[in-house]
Amino acid sequence: MNTETLAMRLALDLNDGSANLVTITGPMCAGKTDVLVRIAQQLKEKVKALRHVFDAKRTPTWRSRNGQGFAADVYDETSLEQYEKEPKVLLIDEIHFIEHPEILTSILHRRRNQGFRTVLSGLNMDYQGIEFDTTARVLALSDEIFVLTARCEDCKKPAKYTHRTTRSESRITVGFDQYRPLCLDCWLEARRRLESPCSHL
């Protein structure tokens, strides 16, 4: 199922109230934001979209990699609580940036108990192949989960890993040009090359 078809299906579910808590996950370049943006474009005033402050620092507008865009509020952990009781349909992008997952999960519990609907997206793992705690905990709560794959930039097979091409002590650095989606074999080889003492990146 491509991102356009998935977005159309979820928009219909959200519009008739049959979707409750949905999470979309996968590596970089898999189309997670594209799905959310397309849902927002279809539901328009019926939905509120949120983008993380880290992403807002990278680009002034909320857009997917293929150019789809929509107006979105900027959120951080301190501002999420205001969305507990409204709107009835909420889209939250880049949840892996949230460092304290209990803040988000408590809000999601309360939203679901009120019959509100939420669709979230976030990276499955970091560049080291370690799952993001917030994404993992939200997946455990979700009524529906969609795991997207990208195309491996080296061999063109389906990719579920995100490789970072630069060295940094930070777990997350913001910038598309620093990451590449890779399949397992290519990711392992890229990690080996990056960690080699002979590497001159």
Side-chain angles (χ1 to χ4, degrees):
M1 185 184 305
N2 61 34
T3 57
E4 185 174 2
T5 302
L6 176 57
M8 290 179 62
R9 181 235 147 143
L10 289 176
L12 288 172
D13 289 346
L14 290 165
N15 200 39
D16 66 19
S18 57
N20 204 340
L21 178 56
V22 179
T23 302
I24 303 164
T25 189
M28 293 280 285
C29 308
K32 302 179 299 300
T33 297
D34 188 57
V35 174
L36 292 192
V37 172
R38 289 179 183 274
I39 292 171
Q41 289 175 334
Q42 292 180 58
L43 297 182
K44 298 180 181 178
E45 70 277 359
K46 296 180 181 179
V47 69
K48 172 72 72 175
L50 305 181
R51 60 194 297 241
H52 197 275
V53 63
F54 285 173
D55 183 63
K57 292 178 181 178
R58 178 185 59 82
T59 174
T61 55
W62 189 47
R63 290 188 178 278
S64 64
R65 288 174 181 269
N66 67 6
Q68 298 292 322
F70 192 82
D73 289 354
V74 176
Y75 78 92
D76 60 19
E77 295 184 18
T78 64
S79 63
L80 277 174
E81 190 172 352
Q82 66 181 295
Y83 301 102
E84 176 184 321
K85 296 182 179 180
E86 62 177 2
K88 290 187 176 181
V89 181
L90 182 65
L91 311 177
I92 309 178
D93 200 11
E94 311 282 11
I95 62 171
H96 55 275
F97 283 133
I98 299 174
E99 295 182 354
H100 300 92
E102 65 277 2
I103 295 175
L104 177 59
T105 56
S106 64
I107 292 169
L108 294 177
H109 276 299
R110 292 192 290 269
R111 283 185 56 82
R112 181 158 59 182
N113 290 344
Q114 297 174 88
F116 295 160
R117 301 180 291 282
T118 312
V119 182
L120 310 98
S121 77
L123 288 174
N124 52 351
M125 297 176 286
D126 65 14
Y127 72 100
Q128 301 176 91
I130 300 172
E131 64 273 13
F132 284 101
D133 192 27
T134 298
T135 305
R137 290 178 62 171
V138 170
L139 289 172
L141 297 176
S142 298
D143 300 304
E144 279 194 282
I145 297 169
F146 295 92
V147 181
L148 307 184
T149 58
R151 176 178 290 188
C152 177
E153 288 194 358
D154 286 352
C155 72
K156 310 308 179 186
K157 293 179 181 178
K160 63 176 292 186
Y161 291 87
T162 299
H163 173 63
R164 190 165 73 194
T165 58
T166 57
R167 290 192 177 97
S168 172
E169 295 183 358
S170 300
R171 188 181 190 192
I172 301 176
T173 56
V174 179
F176 287 152
D177 57 342
Q178 300 181 54
Y179 295 95
R180 303 171 65 226
L182 298 175
C183 69
L184 176 59
D185 290 340
C186 294
W187 177 78
L188 289 172
E189 175 61 21
R191 291 283 297 164
R192 184 192 65 77
R193 291 197 307 266
L194 188 64
E195 294 169 359
S196 170
C198 299
S199 175
H200 296 291
L201 290 177

